[in-house]
Amino acid sequence: MEKKYSTINHIFTTEAMKTILSYPWPGNVRELENYIERLVVTVKEIYIDTCHLSSLLSDTNFAQMAADTLAIDSFDDYIESVEKAIIKAAYEKHGSSRKVAKALGLSDNKALRLIRKYCYS
C-alpha cells in the first residue's frame, strides 16, 4: 500500500488494534482491508491511534460503505466503491483537489475528475 499511495509506514497503537479487532465486522475480510486502506491514506501521523478510528467506526458513512460492499455483484463495482470511499475520505480531510492529488499521488486533473464524480454527484 505504501507504494500504491506514496504514504509513510504507519504503526498501530495497541489500543487501536484492540478497537479494530473488537469491531464486529459484519461482512468479511474485504471490509477490514478497505478500512485499513482508508486509514493509511487519510492519517498523516506515523502512529494510528483510537482518535483516528472513532470517527470512521462510528460514522454512518462507514457503516453504509460496509453494507454497500456486501451488496456488490461485480469486481468493477467493488473497485469503484473502494475508489469512491478513498476519494471521499481524502477530499473531506484535505478540502481541495490539489491537496487530494498530492496526498494520493494522482495528477491534478484525475483528482478533480474523481472528486467531481464521487463528491458532487
Side-chain angles (χ1 to χ4, degrees):
M1 214 173 314
E2 182 179 336
K3 298 210 186 307
K4 183 176 180 183
Y5 295 111
S6 299
T7 63
I8 59 173
N9 287 324
H10 289 83
I11 300 168
F12 286 85
T13 64
T14 303
E15 294 80 18
M17 286 300 292
K18 286 179 183 176
T19 302
I20 290 171
L21 294 173
S22 68
Y23 186 75
W25 300 96
N28 55 34
V29 170
R30 290 184 305 180
E31 287 181 56
L32 176 58
E33 287 176 4
N34 291 339
Y35 184 65
I36 298 298
E37 190 168 5
R38 257 180 99 178
L39 286 171
V40 169
V41 169
T42 59
V43 174
K44 294 301 176 198
E45 294 86 10
I46 291 175
Y47 290 95
I48 296 177
D49 201 358
T50 54
C51 64
H52 300 111
L53 307 180
S54 60
S55 64
L56 292 176
L57 287 175
S58 64
D59 188 350
T60 55
N61 290 333
F62 178 73
Q64 184 60 49
M65 184 184 82
D68 291 347
T69 301
L70 296 174
I72 293 173
D73 293 329
S74 74
F75 178 77
D76 290 337
D77 289 342
Y78 177 73
I79 295 300
E80 185 173 355
S81 73
V82 172
E83 181 180 69
K84 180 178 182 179
I86 292 169
I87 294 298
K88 285 182 124 183
Y91 187 63
E92 286 173 15
K93 179 170 182 146
H94 298 291
S96 79
S97 61
R98 289 181 189 216
K99 289 179 182 176
V100 168
K102 184 176 179 181
L104 299 180
L106 302 172
S107 70
D108 288 347
N109 287 337
K110 184 167 186 172
L112 181 59
R113 181 181 58 79
L114 292 172
I115 290 168
R116 285 181 179 159
K117 179 179 180 180
Y118 296 125
C119 300
Y120 296 112
S121 55

